[in-house]
């Protein structure tokens, strides 16, 4: 299964995967009945999660019910425990919206929930992150996860997110990090897709962030508060939900 998922992720455009993956995996989930892992988003239990990843698929990563990954489950718990997100009718801009969140956030926020992306079929608004088509101070929250490693000018995109955020709002802009790198790695001379995949984890990435990612976000003017949710949740519960044990949530405020 992990080799099949790896092949699909590397060879089929993401916009097509987004349209059909949830239907196929819903069927497959009946073979994973059990109680060893728990998804806090869809509240389903399974014998295990599915593997996921392009080059080296991670075991126990993908929820077959809601398609959440480790990082999605961590973010959901952060929103529940550390923010007023589920208690207030916030106006949210969700860039590159993840399937596991869309219906839940739409039900919660209604017309205050705006999804946007440059190509995703799941988004309502077609938008280039370098030039967000909304006025200053428009949103209480902006979510932009696993996008900034793709864009030409990440600081410009961060500044645009900050611009449309209300003065008391917050943004979540998680990205892949290599914790063995002290600083972010970029090399514009690497244009071959296979070489990009080797250097930046995916062929459509143009950089890989290091341990300095919080400082990179601060360059746009954000006040960045790092939050270690694993310490708050506890190791045993984190493992039961298959959370990313080393990932830090970067809470960005204007």
């Amino acid at each position: 299964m992990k080799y099949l998922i790896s092949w699909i992720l590397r060879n089929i455009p993401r916009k097509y995967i987004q349209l059909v993956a949830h239907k196929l995996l819903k069927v497959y989930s009946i073979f994973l009945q059990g109680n060893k892992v728990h998804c806090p988003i869809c509240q389903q239990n399974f014998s295990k999660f599915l593997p996921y990843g392009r080059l080296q698929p991670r075991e126990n990563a993908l929820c077959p019910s809601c398609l959440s990954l480790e990082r999605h489950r961590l973010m959901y718990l952060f929103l529940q425990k550390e923010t007023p997100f589920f208690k207030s009718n916030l106006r949210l801009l969700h860039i590159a919206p993840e399937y596991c969140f869309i219906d839940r956030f739409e039900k919660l926020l209604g017309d205050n929930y705006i999804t946007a992306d440059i190509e995703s079929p799941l988004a309502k608004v077609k938008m280039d992150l370098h030039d967000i088509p909304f006025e200053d101070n428009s949103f209480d929250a902006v979510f932009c996860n696993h996008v900034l490693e793709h864009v030409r000018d990440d600081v410009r995109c961060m500044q645009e997110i900050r611009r449309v955020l209300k003065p008391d709002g917050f943004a979540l802009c998680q990205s892949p990090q290599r914790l063995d790198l002290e600083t972010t790695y970029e090399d514009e001379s690497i244009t071959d897709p296979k070489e990009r995949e080797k250097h930046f984890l995916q062929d459509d990435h143009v950089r890989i962030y290091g341990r300095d990612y919080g400082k990179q976000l601060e360059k746009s003017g954000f006040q960045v508060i790092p939050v270690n949710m694993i310490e708050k949740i506890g190791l045993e519960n984190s493992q039961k939900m298959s959370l990313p044990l080393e990932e830090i949530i970067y809470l960005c405020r204007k």
Side-chain angles (χ1 to χ4, degrees), residues 72-245:
H72 304 140
R73 297 188 285 273
L74 185 71
M75 175 178 154
Y76 193 83
L77 290 166
F78 173 80
L79 292 172
Q80 275 187 330
K81 297 176 182 296
E82 303 294 321
T83 77
F85 181 77
F86 290 102
K87 299 176 184 176
S88 304
N89 190 28
L90 305 179
R91 188 162 191 248
L92 169 64
L93 175 62
H94 193 173
I95 300 159
E98 299 93 339
Y99 175 80
C100 61
F101 293 140
I102 292 175
D103 288 346
R104 290 168 177 83
F105 290 175
E106 188 135 45
K107 184 177 180 180
L108 176 71
L109 301 175
D111 291 339
N112 279 339
Y113 180 50
I114 309 297
T115 56
D117 192 76
I118 197 166
E119 66 172 15
S120 172
L122 303 179
K124 296 176 182 176
V125 177
K126 186 172 183 179
M127 182 188 83
D128 185 340
L129 190 54
H130 294 84
D131 187 18
I132 298 178
F134 294 102
E135 296 181 357
D136 296 1
N137 308 314
S138 294
F139 296 95
D140 300 290
V142 179
F143 299 162
C144 179
N145 297 305
H146 283 234
V147 174
L148 294 171
E149 67 274 16
H150 296 267
V151 299
R152 182 185 71 257
D153 186 341
D154 59 339
V155 174
R156 167 64 186 270
C157 293
M158 294 173 192
Q159 290 171 337
E160 278 291 277
I161 292 170
R162 185 178 181 276
R163 178 183 65 78
V164 300
L165 198 62
K166 293 180 181 179
D168 58 348
F170 72 94
L172 295 179
C173 303
Q174 299 296 108
S175 285
Q177 284 181 271
R178 272 184 52 186
L179 298 179
D180 62 319
L181 293 178
E182 184 177 351
T183 59
T184 295
Y185 171 45
E186 298 182 76
D187 188 340
E188 294 182 357
S189 70
I190 301 174
T191 57
D192 179 75
K194 290 184 179 180
E195 285 299 308
R196 279 189 176 179
E197 188 173 61
K198 189 185 302 181
H199 284 261
F200 307 125
L201 303 182
Q202 286 186 202
D203 58 12
D204 55 351
H205 287 183
V206 298
R207 64 184 57 84
I208 181 69
Y209 292 104
R211 296 193 303 274
D212 64 335
Y213 182 51
K215 293 180 180 178
Q216 293 292 102
L217 290 165
E218 288 176 343
K219 286 183 180 179
S220 65
F222 277 125
Q223 176 192 1
V224 180
I225 305 166
V227 181
N228 189 329
M229 286 301 296
I230 302 302
E231 288 184 354
K232 294 173 179 287
I233 295 167
L235 182 59
E236 184 177 348
N237 286 331
S238 296
Q239 291 174 330
K240 171 103 175 174
M241 293 181 281
S242 192
L243 304 180
L245 300 182

Side-chain angles (χ1 to χ4, degrees), residues 45-56:
N45 297 314
F46 300 98
S47 59
K48 62 180 179 179
F49 292 129
L50 293 169
Y52 190 88
R54 292 185 178 224
L55 294 178
Q56 297 178 334

